[in-house]
Each structure stands twice: as structure tokens, then as C-alpha cells.
Amino acid sequence: MTKPHVYYGWIVVAAGFIVMLLGYAVRNTFTVFYPVIVDDFGWARGNTAVMYSLTMLCYGLVAPVAGSLVDRFSPRVVLSIGGLIVGGSIALCGLATEMWHFYVLYGVMVAIGLSLIGFTPLSTILTHWFAHRKGLVFGLLASGFGVSLVSAPVFQYLISTYGWRLAYAIIGGTATAIIIPL
């Protein structure tokens, strides 16, 4: 009896799904960490909320660049660098002591890393593996974003158990350790 052959493109889709889930989950940490950070530092909510707006702006500006980097260099290199940036930056948020640290680490660096591992580079990679079923493939890839939205209870558990600083380190280390090998 011969083993059924699994098309490698589906493995690439699964890896892309996991990368999307982890990358966007890292970005979505803001909703859980925001009240804890505001309370800990006593910062104004408006100034602190700029962090998330900055992330969205930087992500949008860097996404086209990320797509062109995938065209120019190996997708593995771009995704690995992005995984290192997004995971390392969110881990370093645990060391932040000033608002501008969060602006740079979360607002800019996490956004750059997410752009390098986000939908644009992943969809570019997947178009090479699938001539047909692109709707299904991109739907599966995009569902990684949707699943990332339910990560808040995990983050809340980490904050409650280890404190927000160590929780950031755990999230960043886990994301880096999973994304880079994928």
C-alpha cells in the first residue's frame, strides 16, 4: 500500500496560518496590556492609545515594502527577519519604562515585523504554490487573523500569573521560537 501524497503547498498554507495567527496575536496584545500599563505608569489613556494607532499606520506604510522584499529576496529570509523583529520587539516591551519606549517598540518595530510576516508576504508566497483554489487558500490564510482575535484570555492568564513584564517576554520568545523555524 502506498502512502497518500500530501501536496507541499498545503503545508505552506498551514505554516502561513500559524504565522498569521501568532503575528496578529502579538499585535493584539495591546488590548489586554493597555489597561495594565496605564494603571502601572499612571499615563493618560489618550497618549497611551497612540501606540496602537502608530502600529496600524506603520503596518500600512511598510506592507508594500515587505511585499517587494519578498520579491527581491528569499521569502524565508524576510519571514525570519520579520519573526525576529516582531517577537523581539514585543519581548523588549517588558523592559520599557517610558512611553516613547512603547512608541518605538510596539508602535514602530512590532508593525515592521508584522509587515514582514503578514498577509502581503504570505500571500505572495502562496501564489507560487497554487494555480487553482486561491480563494480557499487565501481564506485559510486570513482565518489565522480571525483566530488571533481570541488570544486575549491567554495573554490575560500570563499577565495574571507572571505580571505584564514577564508576560511580554514569554509572548515574544514564543512567537520568535515558532515563527522563525516555520
Side-chain angles (χ1 to χ4, degrees):
M1 221 182 204
T2 56
K3 293 181 186 177
H5 175 70
V6 176
Y7 179 59
Y8 191 74
W10 292 114
I11 295 169
V12 175
V13 171
F17 171 86
I18 294 167
V19 169
M20 285 280 286
L21 187 153
L22 290 172
Y24 286 96
V26 165
R27 185 183 72 188
N28 296 334
T29 61
F30 184 80
T31 58
V32 180
F33 282 83
Y34 175 69
V36 177
I37 290 169
V38 167
D39 288 344
D40 197 32
F41 289 106
W43 293 334
R45 289 187 174 271
N47 292 338
T48 310
V50 169
M51 294 172 208
Y52 190 74
S53 300
L54 186 57
T55 298
M56 299 303 287
L57 177 65
C58 288
Y59 176 78
L61 293 173
V62 177
V65 175
S68 68
L69 289 173
V70 170
D71 289 338
R72 188 168 183 197
F73 302 104
S74 165
R76 290 180 184 194
V77 171
V78 173
L79 289 168
S80 294
I81 291 170
L84 182 62
I85 292 171
V86 78
S89 298
I90 207 72
L92 287 172
C93 282
L95 301 175
T97 58
E98 301 289 333
M99 194 176 301
W100 71 267
H101 296 161
F102 286 102
Y103 287 168
V104 171
L105 292 169
Y106 181 83
V108 176
M109 297 306 295
V110 165
I112 290 170
L114 184 59
S115 290
L116 295 176
I117 64 168
F119 192 80
T120 303
L122 291 171
S123 61
T124 302
I125 292 165
L126 287 173
T127 58
H128 297 292
W129 286 97
F130 291 90
H132 306 290
R133 299 186 191 179
K134 288 183 182 178
L136 172 62
V137 167
F138 292 126
L140 291 170
L141 180 64
S143 68
F145 170 76
V147 174
S148 77
L149 296 173
V150 298
S151 59
V154 174
F155 301 147
Q156 188 59 56
Y157 170 79
L158 291 172
I159 293 169
S160 300
T161 305
Y162 302 106
W164 70 267
R165 292 184 182 277
L166 186 54
Y168 265 139
I170 292 167
I171 293 164
T174 302
T176 302
I178 294 171
I179 292 170
I180 290 176
L182 285 177

